[in-house]
């Protein structure tokens, strides 16, 4: 305690992290039995529920890897998921701080991992999917690797390789994260490179064997890739081929180019004391700008955060008093979010929120190691305090989740367990129950309707995010059926796109269909429909 009081910035960091962790944990766990995301959450849960037996166009098998944690009680599964995530964050922070020789306040500093874990996901979409799943796998895999390097016990590397091996199956496009982790591992202990790699790869091979022995079959894995190849021809109509190019261009302009320019000027100045002081002033201005944008213009905040983090990492890299091993840790933390966001089909700065732990950890380490002035850490704590203060706003924010927590007052049974929804959706379920309960072969007009199918145990030929007529025809044919075998389900809010599917024009025999308008919905029921 005396050491903490001698450095008030460090003491207040412990206090703020502790308060933030306890406050966000209480708020999060208290509301996990409320609301349901009728598109994404229903989509992810459907694979756990049907054990992955339906077709999927996603290159991920998260539902096989994490099925041992699954329970049909959504409330309990959310608790299990977020707890596993934040504990993996905490483990990563602990091991990194230990590796960097942060001997004081190790536990309290590591609470930043739990705090950011709760704050990043905002009490929504918490069931383990590929994004949360890969974060857990990366955190645990790197932590085991660092523990091995710290205590010099090579057998732990086998466990690390075992955990990291599942990234190959959890999200195929995210597997690129293995590359920087492997490079970091090699350069961090180059003297024992060969023996270390032997232990690591033995664990990796064991993980692959376990996966194909107990979780999946090789035939099914190959089939998924064959199906993916067929699907890509439709996928490109929804997502341009140039998307990944633009994604890389954005990152280059927002992060890599400014950092390269800053490094060039430092090099031209021969890394003089004055040039480094100038860089420190630039970092301070970027930090202030980031805090102001967080409060005033949130849509630009993440741009500033990315730039600030990269310039700060550059400052750490040129620090003469830091070892190369420490600098490798900073570079790894900087690169991980790129890899985990790769192939996610959305802009990096939008996906970053799920992976900002690595940035916040990087920033905290750099500020604590580079600057003795308490004002730097104070600025960081101001930002954390703002995040704590505004977090309760999520309870009244509709956002992309399409529900408000304070309106979730009606108890319904999902998989036989209670969950609280709003009055309108409870009414919708009562209306739809006679028509969709336990019905197979349902084609819906929007992914916003997935939740109704999930709760009512209805099933589509495939869960889809977009409405492409030729894609739906392809799937129907693949399942050995015809368009006339399906119920067509649309809502007033999310009707079928007339440029894509008009149900009675899509089917071969519209005269055999009965149109039922009920509540906010329209159902097209085939003659073979049975209640």
């Amino acid at each position: 305690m005396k050491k903490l009081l001698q450095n008030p910035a460090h003491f207040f960091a412990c206090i703020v992290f502790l308060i933030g962790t306890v406050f966000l944990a209480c708020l999060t766990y208290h509301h996990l039995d409320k609301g349901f995301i009728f598109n994404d959450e229903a989509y992810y849960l459907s694979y756990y529920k049907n054990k992955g037996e339906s077709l999927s166009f996603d290159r991920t098998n998260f539902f096989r890897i994490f099925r041992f944690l699954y329970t049909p009680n959504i409330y309990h599964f959310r608790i299990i998921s977020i707890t596993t995530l934040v504990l993996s964050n905490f483990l990563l922070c602990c091991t990194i701080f230990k590796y960097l020789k942060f001997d004081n306040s190790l536990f309290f500093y590591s609470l930043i991992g739990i705090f950011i874990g709760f704050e990043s996901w905002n009490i929504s979409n918490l069931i383990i999917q590929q994004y949360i799943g890969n974060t857990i796998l990366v955190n645990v895999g790197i932590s085991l690797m660092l523990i091995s390097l710290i205590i010099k016990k090579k057998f732990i590397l086998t466990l690390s390789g075992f955990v990291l091996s599942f990234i190959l199956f959890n999200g195929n496009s995210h597997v690129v994260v293995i590359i920087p982790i492997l490079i970091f591992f090699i350069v961090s202990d180059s003297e024992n490179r060969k023996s270390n790699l032997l232990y690591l790869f033995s664990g990796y091979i064991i993980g692959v064997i376990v996966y194909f022995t107990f979780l999946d079959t090789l035939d099914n894995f190959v089939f998924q890739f064959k199906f993916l190849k067929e699907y890509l021809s439709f996928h490109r109509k929804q997502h341009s081929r140039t998307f990944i190019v633009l994604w890389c261009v954005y990152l280059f302009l927002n992060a890599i180019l400014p950092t390269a320019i800053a490094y060039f000027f430092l090099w031209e100045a021969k890394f003089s004391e004055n040039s480094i002081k100038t860089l420190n002033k630039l970092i301070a201005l970027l930090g202030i700008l980031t805090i102001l944008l967080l409060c005033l213009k949130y849509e630009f905040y993440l741009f500033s955060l990315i730039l600030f983090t990269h310039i700060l990492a550059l400052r750490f890299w040129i620090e003469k008093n830091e070892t190369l091993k420490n600098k490798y840790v900073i570079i790894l933390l900087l690169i991980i979010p790129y890899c985990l966001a790769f192939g996610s089909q959305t802009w990096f700065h939008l996906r970053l929120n799920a992976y900002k732990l690595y940035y916040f950890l990087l920033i905290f380490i750099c500020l604590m190691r580079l600057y003795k002035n308490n004002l730097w850490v104070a600025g960081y704590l101001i930002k954390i305090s703002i995040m704590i203060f505004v977090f309760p706003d999520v309870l009244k924010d509709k956002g992309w989740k399409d529900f408000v927590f304070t309106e979730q007052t009606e108890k319904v049974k999902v998989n036989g367990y209670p969950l609280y929804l709003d009055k309108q959706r409870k009414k919708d379920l009562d209306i739809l129950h006679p028509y969709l309960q336990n019905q197979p072969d349902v084609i819906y007009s929007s992914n916003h309707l997935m939740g109704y199918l999930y709760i009512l145990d209805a099933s589509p030929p495939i869960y889809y995010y977009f409405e492409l007529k030729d894609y739906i025809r392809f799937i129907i044919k693949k399942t050995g059926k015809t368009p006339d075998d399906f119920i067509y389900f649309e809502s007033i809010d999310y009707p079928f796109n007339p440029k894509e599917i008009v149900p009675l024009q899509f089917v071969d025999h519209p005269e055999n269909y009965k149109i039922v308008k009920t509540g906010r919905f329209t159902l097209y029921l085939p003659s073979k429909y049975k209640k």
Side-chain angles (χ1 to χ4, degrees):
M1 181 60 72
K2 288 182 179 180
K3 290 183 179 180
L4 285 176
L5 293 175
Q6 289 172 0
N7 195 326
H10 295 198
F11 173 74
F12 283 111
C14 295
I15 296 298
V16 171
F17 293 166
L18 178 60
I19 292 174
T21 296
V22 172
F23 178 62
L24 266 64
C26 291
L27 206 61
T28 298
Y29 288 124
H30 180 68
H31 289 87
L32 289 184
D33 62 342
K34 300 178 178 66
F36 189 64
I37 303 175
F38 273 59
N39 43 19
D40 285 38
E41 196 168 24
Y43 174 81
Y44 296 128
L45 281 168
S46 68
Y47 287 105
Y48 285 104
K49 191 174 185 178
N50 64 32
K51 301 180 181 179
E53 293 174 357
S54 66
L55 290 172
S56 168
F57 58 81
D58 268 349
R59 293 158 290 177
T60 173
N61 284 296
F62 63 88
F63 48 87
R64 302 184 197 278
I65 298 168
F66 293 100
R67 188 164 184 82
F68 72 99
L69 295 174
Y70 170 71
T71 168
N73 186 329
I74 294 175
Y75 172 54
H76 288 168
F77 192 30
R78 287 170 173 170
I79 292 175
I80 292 169
S81 298
I82 188 61
T83 303
T84 306
L85 173 65
V86 299
L87 288 180
S88 77
N89 288 353
F90 181 80
L91 178 63
L92 178 72
C93 292
C94 274
T95 53
I96 285 181
F97 285 135
K98 187 66 177 177
Y99 185 75
L100 297 176
K101 295 181 170 55
F102 278 71
D103 295 325
N104 296 325
S105 309
L106 190 71
F107 173 84
F108 288 102
Y109 287 167
S110 299
L111 290 176
I112 188 65
I114 298 179
F115 165 77
I116 294 296
F118 286 121
E119 199 278 339
S120 297
W121 287 91
N122 289 329
I123 325 181
S124 66
N125 206 11
L126 294 180
I127 55 95
I128 297 180
Q129 12 76 2
Q130 63 264 45
Y131 305 110
I132 287 180
N134 267 329
T135 304
I136 293 170
L137 293 173
V138 166
N139 289 347
V140 175
I142 293 176
S143 297
L144 290 169
M145 186 179 291
L146 292 175
I147 290 171
S148 174
L149 294 175
I150 292 169
I151 67 175
K152 309 297 183 184
K153 299 293 184 182
K154 294 183 184 296
F155 74 91
I156 300 178
L157 292 175
T158 304
L159 296 176
S160 175
F162 178 80
V163 172
L164 293 173
S165 69
F166 290 98
I167 296 175
L168 174 64
F169 312 104
N170 189 61
N172 301 139
S173 61
H174 306 163
V175 76
V176 294
V177 76
I178 295 296
I179 298 173
I181 294 174
L182 187 59
I183 293 173
F184 164 79
F185 178 59
I186 292 172
V187 298
S188 294
D189 190 13
S190 56
E191 294 179 359
N192 301 299
R193 179 177 65 251
K194 291 183 179 179
S195 59
N196 285 345
L197 288 174
L198 181 63
Y199 279 93
L200 187 73
F201 284 134
S202 65
Y204 199 93
I205 293 171
I206 291 171
V208 172
I209 293 172
V210 167
Y211 180 83
F212 286 120
T213 302
F214 300 104
L215 304 180
D216 199 1
T217 64
L218 185 60
D219 287 342
N220 184 65
F221 188 72
V222 172
F223 169 77
Q224 283 182 308
F225 276 92
K226 289 181 179 178
F227 177 59
L228 176 63
K229 183 179 179 181
E230 296 173 331
Y231 156 72
L232 283 176
S233 61
F234 303 100
H235 173 78
R236 291 189 183 105
K237 297 177 183 179
Q238 186 72 8
H239 297 285
S240 169
R241 289 170 181 253
T242 61
F243 179 86
I244 192 64
V245 176
L246 295 175
W247 189 88
C248 293
V249 168
Y250 161 75
L251 277 182
F252 177 77
L253 294 176
N254 186 218
I256 299 171
L257 182 61
T259 307
I261 292 173
Y263 184 83
F264 173 77
F265 280 111
L266 288 169
W267 179 75
E268 280 283 299
K270 298 181 180 179
F271 302 99
S272 65
E273 185 176 341
N274 286 334
S275 66
I276 293 176
K277 286 182 179 179
T278 302
L279 182 63
N280 287 338
K281 292 178 182 179
L282 174 62
I283 292 171
L285 289 174
L286 285 174
I288 294 170
L289 177 63
T290 302
I291 294 174
L292 290 175
L293 290 175
L294 174 65
C295 301
L296 304 176
K297 285 284 185 179
Y298 187 82
E299 61 269 28
F300 299 110
Y301 152 68
L302 287 175
F303 292 93
S304 182
L305 176 65
I306 293 170
L307 180 58
F308 172 74
T309 305
H310 282 73
I311 299 298
L312 187 60
L314 171 63
R315 174 64 183 88
F316 192 91
W317 183 259
I318 64 173
E319 175 60 35
K320 296 178 181 178
N321 296 325
E322 290 293 341
T323 66
L324 275 176
K325 289 184 178 181
N326 292 352
K327 294 175 181 179
Y328 293 148
V329 171
I330 294 300
I331 297 303
L332 179 63
L333 291 174
L334 189 68
I335 293 175
I336 285 175
Y338 293 141
C339 300
L340 292 181
F342 183 75
S344 61
Q345 299 165 3
T346 189
W347 296 113
F348 174 73
H349 67 283
L350 298 178
R351 183 64 69 193
L352 175 65
N353 198 62
Y355 308 118
K356 65 185 177 187
L357 162 69
Y358 305 102
Y359 277 3
F360 275 82
L361 180 56
L362 183 158
I363 294 169
F364 184 68
I365 291 169
C366 290
L367 295 181
M368 296 288 279
R369 297 297 287 258
L370 292 175
Y371 305 109
K372 305 303 180 184
N373 191 326
N374 289 332
L375 287 176
W376 289 90
V377 178
Y380 184 86
L381 296 180
I382 288 173
K383 187 178 187 310
I384 295 293
S385 299
I386 293 171
M387 293 164 66
I388 296 171
F389 181 77
V390 302
F391 187 79
D393 290 346
V394 71
L395 300 180
K396 50 188 178 182
D397 177 28
K398 186 175 182 178
W400 73 276
K401 300 180 293 295
D402 207 26
F403 69 82
V404 180
F405 278 101
T406 54
E407 297 175 357
Q408 312 305 304
T409 57
E410 300 296 310
K411 184 187 290 188
V412 300
K413 287 291 184 73
V414 182
N415 301 329
Y417 300 95
L419 191 71
Y420 290 91
L421 302 180
D422 57 84
K423 293 181 180 179
Q424 181 60 64
R425 286 196 173 85
K426 173 65 165 61
K427 182 180 179 181
D428 291 343
L429 289 166
D430 291 339
I431 290 172
L432 294 171
H433 183 275
Y435 301 99
L436 294 181
Q437 182 70 37
N438 297 321
Q439 289 293 334
D441 304 328
V442 180
I443 292 177
Y444 50 89
S445 59
S446 169
N447 59 7
H448 292 81
L449 304 181
M450 289 183 189
Y452 294 112
L453 271 62
Y454 178 83
I455 295 173
L456 295 171
D457 286 323
S459 58
I462 187 173
Y463 282 90
Y464 48 91
Y465 272 83
F466 46 85
E467 193 183 302
L468 293 175
K469 178 170 60 177
D470 50 354
Y471 176 66
I472 299 299
R473 281 194 183 277
F474 166 74
I475 295 299
I476 289 174
K477 184 177 180 181
K478 198 170 189 67
T479 58
K481 296 180 181 179
T482 70
D484 293 61
D485 294 318
F486 290 83
I487 297 170
Y488 294 83
F489 169 45
E490 72 176 341
S491 71
I492 295 173
D493 300 320
Y494 306 102
F496 282 106
N497 184 347
K499 293 182 180 180
E500 293 292 346
I501 294 178
V502 177
L504 296 185
Q505 296 176 13
F506 185 70
V507 300
D508 297 324
H509 299 284
E511 68 276 6
N512 293 335
Y513 271 80
K514 177 184 178 182
I515 302 175
V516 176
K517 293 184 179 292
T518 178
R520 298 189 297 164
F521 306 98
T522 301
L523 296 126
Y524 301 83
L525 306 176
S527 56
K528 60 184 72 175
Y529 166 77
K530 295 181 181 179
K531 290 188 178 182

